[in-house]
Amino acid sequence: MADTPPLKIVQGTALNEQQKKDLLHRLARVEGQLRGVQKLIAKAAVPADCEAVAQQMSAARKALDRSFVTLLTSAVVTHAEKAETTEEAIASTRRLASLLEKFA
């Protein structure tokens, strides 16, 4: 399997470059965990192997959940810093809070 080239980080107002790098790093770790889970499943031979699979699935799920929280907290900080008025900051925070309610 060939390695994929690194993603080009686009400059914008959603997240800053460091926040994007952090999230991409976290997701790469989750991707590695999932590959490990796939290997464990393929090699599972006895009932005890299922416990190892479940443990690794749980770890991957928690890592993905943590990435989600990092995404939203980073967005709150970035949007608040870039808001030109208090009203803009409040509106942005409300939009992000609705994402949290919708997807968390």
Side-chain angles (χ1 to χ4, degrees):
M1 180 164 76
D3 288 328
T4 57
L7 294 171
K8 182 179 187 277
I9 295 179
V10 175
Q11 297 296 322
T13 58
L15 299 168
N16 67 39
E17 185 174 350
Q18 187 58 47
Q19 291 166 329
K20 288 180 181 185
K21 285 180 180 179
D22 179 51
L23 280 167
L24 291 171
H25 181 71
R26 287 175 180 276
L27 292 174
R29 286 194 312 239
V30 172
E31 183 179 22
Q33 286 177 307
L34 292 176
R35 277 196 217 106
V37 169
Q38 290 172 331
K39 289 177 186 175
L40 285 173
I41 290 170
K43 294 178 181 180
V46 297
D49 292 340
C50 291
E51 184 176 342
V53 171
Q55 182 180 20
Q56 290 305 309
M57 284 180 158
S58 177
R61 185 180 67 238
K62 287 177 185 176
L64 191 56
D65 287 344
R66 183 69 188 135
S67 295
F68 174 75
V69 170
T70 299
L71 169 69
L72 289 183
T73 56
S74 295
V76 167
V77 169
T78 300
H79 295 184
E81 288 175 347
K82 294 185 181 204
E84 294 182 15
T85 66
T86 302
E87 291 77 20
E88 282 182 21
I90 291 169
S92 176
T93 303
R94 284 188 177 139
R95 279 193 306 276
L96 293 166
S98 71
L99 288 178
L100 185 59
E101 287 179 348
K102 183 176 181 179
F103 296 115

